[in-house]
Amino acid sequence: MRSFLGRDILSLKDFEREEFFRVFEVAQQLEPIPKSRRNSDMLKEKTLVTAFYQPSTRTRLAHESAMHRLGGHVTGFADPKMTRAGDFYQESIKDTVKMLEYYGDVIVMRHFQQGAPHEAAKWASIPIINGGDGWGEHPTQILADLYTVLREKGRIDGLNWLAVGDMRMRTMHSLGYALTQFDCPITFVGPPKMTLTKEFKAELKQSSLNFSEAEHVEQVIAKADVILVEPVVQPDYTKSRDERAGKELDLTPANYKITRQLLEKKAKPDAILLHSLPRMDEIPTDVDSTRWSRYWQEAFNGVVMRMALLALILGKME
Ligand code: CP
């Protein structure tokens, strides 16, 4: 297994099976720290730099919280408009990271351009974590989701997945790549204009992923052990900001909606329902208190997972 020390986390396409399990093992070791609402001093000599060119609640704050839980420091920006990258100069990724690398020891970057964190990694002498790049990937989110499955179901192999939403989404790409390393058949359900791209399908086939597509969640929910949902009513991820500005939004069609009635009627009693959030109306709030929902656990695991990655990348865990 390759060492995590100094490694960029840009894509789950790079991840090998035993590397997933090593990250999960470290996460489980560190989990008691946030569970007992403590901070440790493991990374007290290290600083995380956050470079967020797109809005985020979970990804940025979970990384920051993870760093604080490990006793480290945090600096950075949550809005490029307040930096030279987002005003008159439109400073390049290269010029920006050639500064940021002196301000800390690892950078987590979210960007509206697919491949921007990869560009940053080309120039930075410190590791880059991809916090979501355009339609590209969202590796730390899917690591948190897989860890949630492991903690909730006790295993990953042998579980049937159902993924619902916009298949152009970065989370779907990271999910597809990750599941190629496990025995997990998956069915994708997305609107006709948001289906898996030809290129991505070819990649999944090449990697021997057992996948299929369906039109309506009702047709396939009964066989799912893990149901992962993303919005189909959502912003343009290639923009730095996509404000609604009074725009009337569509409602999610029934094909892509997980309601309490549907779960009660058709889902396995021990299936688990994941959503990385934010949500629109695809999971109504009355689902939150059902036995299927696990999205709040996912949020906690998002911190634990980022703690594991930071400890590994910064060399405090082997
Ligand atoms: N799940 C997720 O990426 O959320 P944020 O956009 O709030 O970071």
Side-chain angles (χ1 to χ4, degrees):
M1 182 170 55
R2 293 170 297 174
S3 169
F4 281 97
L5 176 62
R7 188 157 147 191
D8 301 309
I9 307 293
L10 299 174
S11 165
L12 292 186
K13 210 166 157 178
D14 302 335
F15 256 65
E16 290 168 11
R17 186 178 161 85
E18 66 266 39
E19 293 173 337
F20 281 100
F21 285 112
R22 180 61 190 140
V23 176
F24 301 150
E25 202 173 30
V26 170
Q28 207 161 340
Q29 280 171 40
L30 297 175
E31 197 178 303
I33 301 169
K35 200 160 234 170
S36 56
R37 297 195 173 276
R38 289 184 290 118
N39 292 349
S40 72
D41 63 0
M42 184 185 274
L43 294 180
K44 66 175 190 238
E45 292 164 358
K46 301 291 180 188
T47 299
L48 168 73
V49 183
T50 54
F52 275 64
Y53 293 78
Q54 249 185 345
S56 166
T57 299
R58 285 143 283 267
T59 310
R60 184 173 66 84
L61 295 175
H63 276 93
E64 292 194 0
S65 172
M67 199 61 184
H68 288 303
R69 289 290 185 213
L70 294 173
H73 308 270
V74 178
T75 185
F77 59 88
D79 185 347
K81 276 190 202 152
M82 301 311 290
T83 74
R84 295 305 195 186
D87 81 338
F88 179 85
Y89 294 97
Q90 298 289 310
E91 202 166 23
S92 68
I93 294 281
K94 177 183 175 183
D95 287 7
T96 303
V97 299
K98 291 306 270 175
M99 302 298 112
L100 299 187
E101 67 180 354
Y102 298 116
Y103 306 157
D105 308 291
V106 54
I107 299 169
V108 56
M109 176 180 283
R110 168 169 288 187
H111 207 290
F112 50 92
Q113 276 168 12
Q114 188 167 341
H118 307 65
E119 168 75 6
K122 249 178 27 197
W123 302 109
S125 59
I126 61 174
I128 304 285
I129 300 174
N130 181 358
D133 61 317
W135 294 115
E137 277 205 60
H138 197 350
T140 64
Q141 178 62 54
I142 291 301
L143 284 168
D145 294 347
L146 285 167
Y147 181 65
T148 303
V149 172
L150 184 63
R151 297 297 278 140
E152 296 292 321
K153 304 288 286 180
R155 67 193 168 113
I156 296 178
D157 287 316
L159 298 174
N160 279 303
W161 284 64
L162 165 61
V164 186
D166 183 342
M167 297 307 153
R168 301 167 303 170
M169 267 303 281
R170 49 199 181 202
T171 40
M172 295 300 178
H173 294 146
S174 290
L175 176 64
Y177 293 136
L179 291 188
T180 65
Q181 300 300 305
F182 300 96
D183 168 23
C184 289
I186 179 163
T187 305
F188 296 103
V189 180
K193 286 191 180 142
M194 300 179 184
T195 51
L196 300 168
T197 63
K198 245 196 281 178
E199 298 74 24
F200 186 47
K201 266 207 253 194
E203 276 188 280
L204 296 181
K205 277 186 190 149
Q206 179 81 17
S207 314
S208 316
L209 181 70
N210 177 355
F211 74 94
S212 56
E213 291 171 275
E215 283 177 7
H216 199 303
V217 288
E218 266 189 13
Q219 299 163 347
V220 284
I221 197 166
K223 64 174 186 187
D225 301 297
V226 180
I227 307 160
L228 181 143
V229 184
E230 289 284 343
V232 297
V233 179
Q234 59 176 0
D236 182 345
Y237 276 84
T238 64
K239 287 186 181 158
S240 113
R241 203 172 272 278
D242 190 353
E243 283 159 12
R244 295 184 199 180
K247 216 169 33 183
E248 274 290 310
L249 292 177
D250 294 333
L251 293 176
T252 301
N255 302 43
Y256 321 111
K257 206 163 166 174
I258 306 293
T259 62
R260 191 175 189 138
Q261 292 73 16
L262 178 67
L263 289 164
E264 283 168 357
K265 209 164 95 188
K266 296 219 162 164
K268 286 188 185 180
D270 63 345
I272 61 170
L273 177 62
L274 305 178
H275 193 311
S276 67
L277 304 171
R279 67 177 150 185
M280 298 298 284
D281 63 334
E282 62 280 5
I283 299 185
T285 51
D286 66 353
V287 173
D288 298 357
S289 56
T290 67
R291 67 168 169 276
W292 293 278
S293 83
R294 293 296 190 284
Y295 20 96
W296 312 135
Q297 285 88 337
E298 231 178 318
F300 171 71
N301 290 332
V303 177
V304 178
M305 175 50 54
R306 274 78 180 212
M307 289 171 70
L309 287 174
L310 290 168
L312 283 161
I313 291 168
L314 293 171
K316 289 295 171 184
M317 303 286 273
E318 256 305 311

